[in-house]
Amino acid sequence: MGVPVLYAVVLASISQSLSLQIQNPLYGSKSSQENGSLDGSSCESKPEQQVFMNSNNFSVDIRMPGVVPTGSDTYLCKAFPVLTSRDAYIVDFIPHASMDTVHHMILFGCQTPVSTSSYWDCGSVQGTCEDEASIMYAWARNAPRTKLPKDVGFKVGRNSGMSYFVLQIHYGDVSAFRDHHKDCSGLTLQMTSKPQPFIAGIYLLMSVDTVILPGKRVTDADIACDYTSYPIYPFAFRTHTHHLGKVVSGYRIRDGKWTLIGRQSPQLPQAFYPANKEVSVKYGDTIAARCVFTGEGRTSKTYIGGTSADEMCNFYVMYYMDSKHAVPYMNCMETGSKELFQHIPAEANIPITVSPGQMNAMMHMGHSPDHQGNTLAGDPKKAEPVLDQDYHLEQVSAWPQNPLQLGQVSGLALDSDYNLVIFHRGDHRWEADTFSIQYRYQPRSLGPIQQSTILVVDPAKGNILKASGRNMFYLPHGITTDKDNNYWVTDVALHQVLKVSSDGRDRILLALGEAFTPGTDNNHFCQPTDVAVDAETGNIFVSDGYCNSRILKFSADGNYLAGFFAGSSDRRRRVPFKIPHSLVFLPDRREVCVADRENGRIQCFIAETGEFVKEIKKAEFGGEVFAITYSPGGDGLIFAVNGQSQYASAPLRGFVINYSTEDILDTFSPSTKDFKMPHDIIESSDGSVFVGDAVSNLVFKFTTEKFHRSVKKAGIEVQQLEEKETFFQTKLRPDLNVSKTAVKPEKHTVAQQPQSHEEAEEEERKQSAPKAERAAGVLPVIIITTLLLIPLLIVITLGLFICWKRNNRYEVKSEPSSVGGILGKIRGKAVGGLNLGNFFASHKGYSRQGFDQLSTEGSDQERNDEDSSDSENEEYSALPPPQSTS
């Protein structure tokens, strides 16, 4: 399908924007809005208005200002500013439109609409918004009002990132305007200023390339995407096609099992209907949808497009999320594979017949004695699973399952598959004499690090998936990835920024700076620390660094664009950077933030211009901030780790900070070992947080998942004991028994499947016969075995008695026979992860000082303070220590 058609589809169904028009509260009445009239044709009786119900609750009308479309399939849009100066939450959508006039309407939210004047034609190239937009509501075919569950709302206003509503209306058949009336269709939004614990959002699955052949009885449009964000809890769904759609179904796929979210005929009123209450979607699940079309009665191919003669295949999921991680809009436009959809339930292929009686009944579905309109779900706090309101990160002490043999961990990142990427220094260390007073790397003659410095690790278990970066780097520091999964790294010894392929071939795709040559101009760096990548433009930002105090901006192909320095709201008191140590790009805000290490602060700048935005500096940081990362959920979350300062004393820990309010929401630290030098931090797509430590040579994993906490509090020691016993038994059994042990879980799983009484009786009958036969043959074997063992036991007993008599002068002390102790011994020998001798093979003549501390149990021994203090000070200080005269 051509680009223009695809653009029309995206324009018609995905474009997103928000705004809110606050009007004179003297107009209209509350009761007229509550009734939710569907007729939007009479502009005189539908003035734009806002009616305040009390100090917290109010309603806002968003209407077309008396428009007359000039032709069929016209898309018109109008923007409304959100004038409230505080956060507000939409809890009810009341439509004012008729399908006789309006084909469908969509409410978007965005920062910058195409126009802020009157309405405009948004079916053209202009579209709805100039920036990214979010769909908040959609209506078609006389759908009733949509009332959200208790404690759930769409967030708008001050901290939502949505400055405007944009109402888009598709006028299908222009003949509806033969009487020359003006249209004022639109919505009434019922809102509250009371903060809602759960934030609503829309997930849209949409087909873009389906072709319906003329006369063909059935054509399927399949869409599927892997879900990679925080958990969502669907409470409503909506289907949308044009005339050829027969049924649309949406599913969650988990571990191969398809669970229905919702299924409906798109020929019924296209409202949001209650979803399956038992469904939640978490990281690793797949969301899928199928639209079933018929080409009967058509004489030519029908494509996906924006006109009434075209078709659409849309499945909307309205969900709620924990307010701390809320994402207002997500979409999926990937065609599902034939192999995946071979397993779709048969119900998805059965058309739903629509009768006039059903059409009338569906107009009134969902009403209850307590609420008017279509109330979508119950109290989310009573729904399962319940969202945990106690936000706290705790260490996953069992991660990694097998020890990782690491050097100084300097950088962390995520690749395009959401795996953890670890950048470490192998057997190189930053010592007191590593650099000269001119910042030149001294042990250059020893060559690069021979070990794999870049490890790709499974974030769930900690297994190494891929290793690369041999013989490339001298003293690694920062790492990030781009949308093509290339690595962008900094090496403080090389004074360079390198773009490296991730295909295992270790190709340097781009090199910025001159190797081993520090400098202060735009073509040189001096110990650069980190890189941030703007995925939209490809531009990169470099924090430079230990001996320069600046941020440099380059194009994707390495051309210098700009540079900027520390900012301040008061230019007269601007404090320069003192080791800009870590960078992160904020895609939703188009900003770049820096951890200004020795100043103990976080500063943020507009990525395009370098204009200073804000500074976050807390006493809890203790004077130093080593690293930061960012999550766009909710108001935006900054994750940070601090460091030891010679000027202040504060515990080493991680911080979760609300970007908008700058409040510290949580602090966290390891439960097994203390941080020694937390050097980098990254958040994974499932909400887990990883921290790399450059002194303990460890990576710590933290999680907020409820099951992790509840299991720990409910007796994880018992579960660990059972796991250890199983491990011990497996190690002592011969291989044949190990194979049998591996089969047991599968049999156990099968036994859990529900059976009918007849099936159960038949299974019992089949099992009883062999049991009887085995019982008849076992008894003679037991008797013979016992007779043979009795003489052997007598001999062993006599031998033990004689040994005891000979050695009774010695005191015998037995070690505790705990399963944990046995397991530790077995794992120390049988589970080694990487071999230190091979993995950290030293360069000829190079000192291995520091790596003698590494153990095969996971590189977790306490550091030798006497031997490591110099390198630690070097890592902390902006300037190298003075040369010794002795």
Side-chain angles (χ1 to χ4, degrees):
M1 188 173 61
V3 174
V5 176
L6 177 61
Y7 181 82
V9 174
V10 176
L11 177 67
S13 300
I14 297 182
S15 303
Q16 312 147 7
S17 318
L18 274 174
S19 18
L20 174 139
Q21 182 75 30
I22 295 183
Q23 316 296 344
N24 190 330
L26 301 177
Y27 295 144
S29 66
K30 173 181 174 181
S31 60
S32 65
Q33 295 179 23
E34 293 279 355
N35 292 334
S37 171
L38 292 174
D39 183 12
S41 60
S42 176
C43 293
E44 290 75 20
S45 61
K46 305 290 188 301
E48 296 179 328
Q49 59 189 318
Q50 177 177 5
V51 178
F52 286 90
M53 301 173 188
N54 56 46
S55 59
N56 291 323
N57 302 322
F58 57 94
S59 62
V60 176
D61 263 14
I62 295 178
R63 302 291 193 97
M64 281 296 173
V67 301
V68 179
T70 57
S72 296
D73 293 315
T74 297
Y75 286 79
L76 297 181
C77 289
K78 180 171 173 57
F80 303 82
V82 179
L83 299 182
T84 177
S85 60
R86 54 186 175 177
D87 289 337
Y89 303 83
I90 304 172
V91 297
D92 196 352
F93 299 88
I94 304 174
H96 305 292
S98 168
M99 63 183 293
D100 294 334
T101 302
V102 174
H103 182 274
H104 73 260
M105 60 182 176
I106 299 177
L107 182 67
F108 300 95
C110 67
Q111 289 272 23
T112 310
V114 168
S115 174
T116 56
S117 56
S118 186
Y119 64 91
W120 69 94
D121 182 351
C122 52
S124 62
V125 180
Q126 293 186 81
T128 55
C129 295
E130 293 182 353
D131 60 336
E132 185 178 358
S134 299
I135 293 178
M136 305 183 70
Y137 177 75
W139 174 96
R141 303 186 68 82
N142 288 353
R145 64 188 283 188
T146 299
K147 186 177 180 64
L148 274 60
K150 182 182 178 183
D151 295 329
V152 174
F154 284 87
K155 185 176 181 180
V156 298
R158 182 181 59 185
N159 295 319
S160 68
M162 297 181 183
S163 303
Y164 283 85
F165 293 127
V166 175
L167 176 66
Q168 181 197 73
I169 294 185
H170 175 198
Y171 295 97
D173 188 357
V174 74
S175 64
F177 290 85
R178 285 179 296 187
D179 60 354
H180 304 292
H181 76 274
K182 296 181 179 180
D183 184 69
C184 291
S185 299
L187 297 166
T188 294
L189 308 178
Q190 291 193 347
M191 306 176 67
T192 180
S193 58
K194 180 181 178 181
Q196 302 295 294
F198 305 98
I199 304 301
I202 295 288
Y203 191 112
L204 171 61
L205 295 99
M206 181 179 71
S207 175
V208 297
D209 57 3
T210 300
V211 179
I212 304 168
L213 300 178
K216 187 175 181 180
R217 186 166 177 267
V218 175
T219 296
D220 296 332
D222 296 334
I223 317 107
C225 285
D226 293 332
Y227 185 75
T228 57
S229 187
Y230 294 98
I232 60 174
Y233 302 91
F235 61 90
F237 73 96
R238 175 182 180 267
T239 65
H240 180 72
T241 71
H242 295 169
H243 300 295
L244 302 184
K246 295 300 182 182
V247 62
V248 182
S249 309
Y251 295 88
R252 178 208 68 192
I253 307 172
R254 178 179 295 170
D255 299 328
K257 181 180 179 181
W258 293 64
T259 302
L260 183 70
I261 296 175
R263 173 176 174 267
Q264 190 55 275
S265 168
Q267 304 309 317
L268 291 170
Q270 293 180 2
F272 279 95
Y273 299 118
N276 183 350
K277 295 181 180 179
E278 304 302 321
V279 179
S280 64
V281 182
K282 65 180 183 179
Y283 176 82
D285 292 342
T286 298
I287 304 181
R290 166 171 283 181
C291 299
V292 178
F293 297 97
T294 180
E296 294 178 335
R298 291 292 176 102
T299 58
S300 60
K301 294 180 180 179
T302 304
Y303 298 89
I304 299 296
T307 73
S308 300
D310 297 321
E311 265 301 339
M312 287 187 178
C313 170
N314 295 354
F315 184 83
Y316 295 80
V317 179
M318 190 178 286
Y319 58 83
Y320 65 82
M321 302 178 73
D322 189 330
S323 61
K324 297 182 179 65
H325 298 296
V327 181
Y329 175 75
M330 293 177 272
N331 64 62
C332 169
M333 293 182 283
E334 296 181 12
T335 301
S337 67
K338 292 182 179 180
E339 295 80 288
L340 178 66
F341 278 81
Q342 284 178 351
H343 306 288
I344 192 171
E347 63 187 358
N349 303 312
I350 302 174
I352 297 177
T353 304
V354 180
S355 67
Q358 285 177 310
M359 177 72 75
N360 182 65
M362 296 300 284
M363 290 290 296
H364 303 285
M365 75 162 292
H367 291 206
S368 67
D370 299 325
H371 301 284
Q372 293 181 343
N374 188 10
T375 302
L376 295 170
D379 186 347
K381 290 186 288 188
K382 299 178 182 179
E384 293 294 330
V386 178
L387 291 178
D388 190 356
Q389 295 300 295
D390 297 325
Y391 184 98
H392 180 61
L393 285 164
E394 293 182 359
Q395 183 189 1
V396 182
S397 57
W399 191 96
Q401 292 183 356
N402 296 322
L404 297 171
Q405 307 299 334
L406 304 171
Q408 294 180 329
V409 180
S410 61
L412 300 176
L414 292 181
D415 67 10
S416 58
D417 295 320
Y418 305 102
N419 295 314
L420 177 66
V421 182
I422 301 174
F423 198 29
H424 73 109
R425 295 173 182 164
D427 56 3
H428 284 204
R429 296 181 67 85
W430 192 331
E431 306 288 355
D433 57 353
T434 299
F435 290 91
S436 71
I437 195 67
Q438 292 81 26
Y439 309 108
R440 293 187 179 271
Y441 184 65
Q442 297 302 290
R444 177 178 174 181
S445 60
L446 300 179
I449 302 168
Q450 294 185 348
Q451 299 85 40
S452 297
T453 56
I454 301 176
L455 303 181
V456 179
V457 175
D458 173 16
K461 298 181 179 180
N463 300 327
I464 295 177
L465 306 176
K466 186 168 58 174
S468 60
R470 293 174 179 266
N471 298 307
M472 297 183 69
F473 308 110
Y474 288 78
L475 209 58
H477 203 277
I479 187 170
T480 190
T481 58
D482 60 23
K483 62 181 180 181
D484 298 320
N485 210 29
N486 299 306
Y487 302 133
W488 288 86
V489 302
T490 65
D491 188 313
V492 291
L494 289 171
H495 301 287
Q496 283 185 304
V497 175
L498 304 175
K499 179 182 179 182
V500 181
S501 67
S502 64
D503 56 6
R505 298 167 62 185
D506 290 342
R507 294 175 298 147
I508 296 179
L509 306 177
L510 181 67
L512 301 178
E514 183 178 354
F516 299 107
T517 305
T520 59
D521 58 31
N522 298 335
N523 298 318
H524 290 84
F525 304 104
C526 191
Q527 296 178 341
T529 54
D530 203 6
V531 181
V533 180
D534 180 351
E536 183 176 313
T537 64
N539 294 336
I540 67 166
F541 300 83
V542 179
S543 49
D544 180 36
Y546 279 92
C547 32
N548 288 331
S549 298
R550 60 183 181 175
I551 308 296
L552 300 181
K553 178 181 177 182
F554 298 86
S555 66
D557 54 4
N559 293 322
Y560 173 80
L561 298 177
F564 50 93
F565 300 89
S568 173
S569 56
D570 185 354
R571 293 187 176 182
R572 295 169 298 178
R573 302 180 61 184
R574 183 166 61 184
V575 178
F577 288 136
K578 192 174 183 182
I579 310 184
H581 195 255
S582 173
L583 287 178
V584 64
F585 187 81
L586 283 53
D588 57 331
R589 301 177 183 275
R590 309 295 303 162
E591 296 176 13
V592 62
C593 294
V594 56
D596 186 11
R597 200 182 81 175
E598 299 297 310
N599 284 321
R601 64 186 181 182
I602 301 166
Q603 289 201 332
C604 299
F605 305 83
I606 297 175
E608 181 65 26
T609 63
E611 180 183 348
F612 175 73
V613 176
K614 67 161 53 184
E615 176 178 295
I616 301 174
K617 188 169 185 175
K618 299 288 185 180
E620 291 86 345
F621 294 162
E624 294 205 2
V625 180
F626 262 57
I628 56 174
T629 190
Y630 177 76
S631 171
D635 294 337
L637 297 176
I638 290 179
F639 298 84
V641 286
N642 67 340
Q644 291 180 342
S645 172
Q646 57 182 324
Y647 304 110
S649 176
L652 296 181
R653 52 185 172 171
F655 300 86
V656 184
I657 304 165
N658 184 306
Y659 173 90
S660 298
T661 65
E662 303 178 15
D663 294 331
I664 296 177
L665 306 178
D666 184 31
T667 61
F668 57 94
S669 58
S671 57
T672 55
K673 291 182 177 294
D674 293 335
F675 282 142
K676 295 185 179 300
M677 187 193 291
H679 199 266
D680 204 4
I681 185 170
I682 193 72
E683 187 204 25
S684 68
S685 54
D686 67 349
S688 300
V689 174
F690 295 87
V691 176
D693 195 298
V695 169
S696 64
N697 304 331
L698 295 173
V699 177
F700 299 91
K701 179 179 180 179
F702 301 86
T703 183
T704 61
E705 293 183 14
K706 186 176 181 181
F707 76 85
H708 174 70
R709 291 194 296 274
S710 61
V711 170
K712 184 174 181 180
K713 293 176 181 177
I716 194 171
E717 297 302 328
V718 176
Q719 295 187 12
Q720 287 180 339
L721 181 61
E722 294 172 353
E723 179 185 357
K724 292 175 181 178
E725 289 174 345
T726 303
F727 183 91
F728 177 61
Q729 293 168 5
T730 302
K731 284 291 180 183
L732 296 184
R733 289 173 180 164
D735 292 343
L736 180 60
N737 290 338
V738 172
S739 299
K740 290 180 180 178
T741 304
V743 176
K744 286 183 179 180
E746 182 179 352
K747 291 183 177 179
H748 179 72
T749 303
V750 173
Q752 299 303 316
Q753 301 298 325
Q755 292 181 318
S756 65
H757 293 297
E758 293 79 10
E759 291 173 333
E761 290 173 359
E762 178 65 14
E763 182 69 14
E764 183 177 355
R765 184 186 65 78
K766 291 179 180 179
Q767 293 179 0
S768 63
K771 285 180 181 179
E773 294 175 3
R774 287 196 297 269
V778 165
L779 184 58
V781 174
I782 293 175
I783 294 173
I784 294 172
T785 303
T786 303
L787 292 175
L788 292 174
L789 287 176
I790 288 174
L792 180 61
L793 291 173
I794 293 173
V795 173
I796 293 174
T797 302
L798 290 174
L800 291 174
F801 179 78
I802 293 171
C803 291
W804 177 77
K805 292 291 291 182
R806 289 179 177 178
N807 298 283
N808 57 9
R809 66 181 180 274
Y810 295 108
E811 180 181 2
V812 179
K813 294 183 179 180
S814 61
E815 293 183 359
S817 59
S818 68
V819 178
I822 297 173
L823 178 70
K825 293 179 181 179
I826 293 175
R827 288 190 172 177
K829 296 180 180 180
V831 185
L834 294 177
N835 184 288
L836 265 184
N838 295 330
F839 186 70
F840 291 115
S842 180
H843 189 279
K844 183 178 179 180
Y846 182 77
S847 170
R848 296 171 60 90
Q849 181 180 355
F851 264 93
D852 292 337
Q853 300 176 24
L854 293 174
S855 73
T856 56
E857 292 297 319
S859 305
D860 55 358
Q861 293 185 5
E862 297 294 328
R863 67 185 175 92
N864 186 323
D865 291 329
E866 182 179 355
D867 293 338
S868 304
S869 59
D870 288 338
S871 62
E872 183 181 355
N873 291 334
E874 175 65 15
E875 181 74 13
Y876 285 153
S877 60
L879 299 175
Q883 299 293 315
S884 174
T885 57
S886 58

